[in-house]
């Protein structure tokens, strides 16, 4: 007989082993999945995990994908540490892309040195405003933050689609749903000539460091951690839970907005309907894989970016459908949450139960 028993203290071993076990189980699941669709599992895993690091161009593309993932994940990690279940990074990213693109198009004839900062600020503010709406609904009417942030993801997506078909569509674009190409003054500079790595990756790493500093080295971070661990205790200590909730949500919205405007002013150079291949949703996996720690999120973002790159290569080289690759990412989150269950619980076998 096997039964589950709650641990008296969380297992420190499982805290660190859980992501590694989850990745191992995902690789095993992936091997079975690729075999089931008639692909060589070893070749598929090689293309998925090794090929993205095979040359300098692929490594550069991996960093391009890492930037928005990391920005969104840092914000989400801090929200989750405060027990604010924000699922809206995708919508906040799209809002940032939309707001930043509107500013870039307004400045399309400008060559001012302030054009790029204004564009980035517009994207950041747009992301913050988009996160402010569900935050207000949560704090004023006690609405379900998970549901409202998910709904606002879809609202942002269709708002963006409406914009590229309407007011922001390029009049010289032969009817294609996309904006005009942005002026050079509003584009993020690339860091290396041989790749598309741009300044956004620097912003992402700095955001991770700032997130770590706030969470680990400041009184504000201490209040956030106490609020997430025990809200009644935080109130008893005199911490203002509403102000803390506003801070973490606006912080997350700002970073997601920066991720969105970083995509349109970086590798894309214009506003298009498919700005994000789901970075905001994948950032949830990154945040948990990084143990809700901003520095851990950097390593997790690298891993997830490799999966994104590997997914693209697997479609091109092996003809593996994109849905299979997306399933691969979803299974990783499933195994991670399943393994995390054993941080606070353990299995008791019949002989131990008798003892």
């Amino acid at each position: 007989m096997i039964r589950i028993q709650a641990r008296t203290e969380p297992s420190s071993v499982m805290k660190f082993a859980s992501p590694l076990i989850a990745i191992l189980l995902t690789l095993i699941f992936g091997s079975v999945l690729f075999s089931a669709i008639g692909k060589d599992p070893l070749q598929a895993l090689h293309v998925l995990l090794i090929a993205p690091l095979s040359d300098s161009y692929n490594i550069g593309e991996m960093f391009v994908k890492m930037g928005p993932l990391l920005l969104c994940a840092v914000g989400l990690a801090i929200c989750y540490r405060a027990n604010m279940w924000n699922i809206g990074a995708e919508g906040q990213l799209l809002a940032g892309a939309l707001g930043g693109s509107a500013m870039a198009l307004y400045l399309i004839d400008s060559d001012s040195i302030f054009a790029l900062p204004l564009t980035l600020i517009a994207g950041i503010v747009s992301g913050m405003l988009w996160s402010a709406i569900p935050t207000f609904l949560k704090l004023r009417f006690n609405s379900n933050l998970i549901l409202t942030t998910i709904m606002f993801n879809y609202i942002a997506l269709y708002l963006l689609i409406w914009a590229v078909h309407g007011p922001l569509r390029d009049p010289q674009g032969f009817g294609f749903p996309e904006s005009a190409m942005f002026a050079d003054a509003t584009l993020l500079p690339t860091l290396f000539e041989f790749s598309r790595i741009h300044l956004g990756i620097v912003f992402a790493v700095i955001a991770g460091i700032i997130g770590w500093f706030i969470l680990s080295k400041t009184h504000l971070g201490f209040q956030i951690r106490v609020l997430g661990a025990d809200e009644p205790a935080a109130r008893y200590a005199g911490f203002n839970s509403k102000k803390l909730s506003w801070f973490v949500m606006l912080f997350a919205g700002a970073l997601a907005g920066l991720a969105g405007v970083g995509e349109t002013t970086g590798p894309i150079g214009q506003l298009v309907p498919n700005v994000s291949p789901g970075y905001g949703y994948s950032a949830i996996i990154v945040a948990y894989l990084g143990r809700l720690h901003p520095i851990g999120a950097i390593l997790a973002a690298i891993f997830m970016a490799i999966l994104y790159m590997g997914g693209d290569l697997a479609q091109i080289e092996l003809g593996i459908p994109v849905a299979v690759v997306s399933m691969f990412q979803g299974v990783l989150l499933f195994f991670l949450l399943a393994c995390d269950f054993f941080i606070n619980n353990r299995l008791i076998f019949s002989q131990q139960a008798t003892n």
Side-chain angles (χ1 to χ4, degrees), residues 209-234:
I209 296 172
I210 292 174
W212 163 79
F213 182 80
I214 292 175
L215 208 55
S216 305
K217 302 294 180 183
T218 66
H219 184 60
L220 175 62
F222 173 72
Q223 293 181 62
I224 291 172
R225 286 185 278 123
V226 173
L227 177 66
D230 193 336
E231 187 172 350

Side-chain angles (χ1 to χ4, degrees), residues 24-273:
L24 179 62
L25 291 174
T26 304
L27 294 179
I28 295 172
F29 174 85
S31 300
V32 175
L33 181 65
F34 294 135
S35 297
I37 61 174
K39 305 295 181 185
D40 183 347
L42 291 180
Q43 185 185 12
L45 290 176
H46 180 272
V47 171
L48 202 60
L49 300 174
I50 306 300
L53 304 175
S54 60
D55 57 53
S56 58
Y57 178 79
N58 283 342
I59 293 174
E61 288 300 292
M62 184 271 290
F63 278 110
V64 169
K65 295 182 183 300
M66 173 194 166
L69 285 170
L70 179 56
L71 282 168
C72 293
V74 170
L76 292 180
I78 293 180
C79 283
Y80 298 159
R81 293 294 290 269
N83 208 23
M84 292 290 285
W85 299 105
N86 175 16
I87 314 295
E90 180 75 6
Q92 292 147 25
L93 182 151
L94 296 176
L98 183 57
S101 297
M103 179 62 76
L105 292 172
Y106 178 76
L107 299 170
I108 198 165
D109 295 323
S110 172
D111 56 358
S112 168
I113 59 172
F114 298 107
L116 179 58
L118 287 173
T119 302
L120 295 179
I121 290 171
I124 292 170
V125 172
S126 299
M128 292 175 71
L129 291 176
W130 206 251
S131 68
I133 303 172
T135 307
F136 172 77
L137 295 175
K138 162 72 176 173
L139 298 179
R140 181 68 178 82
F141 302 107
N142 196 30
S143 64
N144 187 307
L145 188 62
I146 295 175
L147 294 179
T148 52
T149 49
I150 289 175
M151 286 191 290
F152 272 86
N153 287 344
Y154 288 98
I155 295 171
L157 174 62
Y158 287 105
L159 191 62
L160 185 147
I161 291 173
W162 165 77
V164 294
H165 280 87
L168 300 186
R169 186 174 65 178
D170 182 7
Q172 308 298 324
F174 303 101
F176 287 102
E178 58 189 25
S179 74
M181 296 299 295
F182 298 161
D184 290 343
T186 56
L187 294 178
L188 285 169
T190 55
L191 301 181
F192 306 101
E193 292 184 357
F194 60 84
S195 76
R196 298 194 302 162
I197 301 176
H198 54 81
L199 196 58
I201 186 62
V202 177
F203 294 154
V205 174
I206 292 174
I209 296 172
I210 292 174
W212 163 79
F213 182 80
I214 292 175
L215 208 55
S216 305
K217 302 294 180 183
T218 66
H219 184 60
L220 175 62
F222 173 72
Q223 293 181 62
I224 291 172
R225 286 185 278 123
V226 173
L227 177 66
D230 193 336
E231 187 172 350
R235 288 177 177 166
Y236 183 76
F239 300 159
N240 191 322
S241 60
K242 285 191 176 181
K243 285 185 177 178
L244 292 173
S245 298
W246 273 111
F247 172 79
V248 297
M249 287 296 292
L250 293 179
F251 185 73
L255 293 185
L258 179 59
V261 70
E263 285 298 285
T264 56
T265 59
I268 302 175
Q270 63 181 150
L271 183 65
V272 294

